[in-house]
Amino acid sequence: SCRYWMILLQKQLRMMIIMMNNLVAAIEYDGTKFQGSQKQPKVRTVQGAFDKSLTLIHKENVISEFASRTDSGVHAQKQVVSFKSNLDITDDSWVDTLNYNLPKDIRVFKCNRIEKNIDVRRDAIEREYTYRMILGERISPIEYNYYEHLNHKLNFSILDSATKIFIGKHNFLSFTGRLLPKNSNTVREIKSVNYEVDGRKLNITITGNSFLYQQVRRIIGSLILLMKNKISLSNIREALENPIKGKFNLLVSSRGLYLSDIKYKNILN
């Protein structure tokens, strides 16, 4: 009947009006006052703050997806977030609108509308973490929340050999924490490990497709033990060839760790 087709047309028009846009945002944050990135009840998290801003903008509940989980105190120079919206806002205006509604320790620096759905977690082709350290007797209170402090004599010359050991596919069970779920696949591929000494600062950067819980911090811990001459290169090789959970117990602080980059094939490059 004519009435049936009118109702159907009205439904289709309403669907067109509320057509969802797929959006991805690149954000950075100071992790000091967050209990990690992943949303949790009754604690302050990055995702919780981001979703709150989306809800304020849309005046209804909107949920985001984060590309990587970062622990309490870990910072990000480039975290990637996806969400859906029925609002017709330009990419530049999204950056301004989100930043207006976000707390000052989270900033959006890019936001793009994309044609297809993307799984920001599984579709990432490379993640990069940087660990930052202050060397010597003193660390400024201004630096404290953003660097690990090492007041030891360190053997930097051994780092060239040590960083090469990690490159490639290995079973990283020895570099995981006790909270790693049982039967987890602990094989991961490290693409590069680089370091830079600049005066009283030491940065170590690790890239790979994905990482296990606490893997990066425990790799850094093993390199610090090595530079202190408390373990040898053969100890690290042994840990990779004959993996044992909790082999390396030096878990460096989260405040020196940064999610420094996430790369995709066709977005946010």
Side-chain angles (χ1 to χ4, degrees), residues 2 9 25 46 54 72 77 131 139 229:
C2 183
L9 180 60
V46 183
L54 289 175
S72 176
Q77 293 171 295
Y131 199 79
I139 181 170
N229 296 316

Side-chain angles (χ1 to χ4, degrees), residues 208-260:
N209 177 260
S210 64
F211 294 91
L212 298 163
Y213 176 62
Q214 296 184 345
Q215 180 187 349
V216 173
R217 288 162 67 192
R218 288 178 186 272
I219 288 175
I220 299 296
S222 71
L223 292 173
I224 290 172
L225 290 172
L226 185 71
M227 288 188 289
K228 290 179 179 179
N229 296 316
K230 293 190 174 181
I231 63 171
S232 65
L233 289 171
S234 60
N235 293 140
I236 294 178
R237 289 194 190 94
E238 171 70 16
L240 292 170
E241 292 168 5
N242 298 292
I244 300 171
K245 193 172 186 178
K247 176 80 171 176
F248 288 110
N249 290 319
L250 180 55
L251 179 65
V252 291
S253 71
S254 58
R255 64 180 181 267
L257 185 60
Y258 296 72
L259 174 59
S260 45

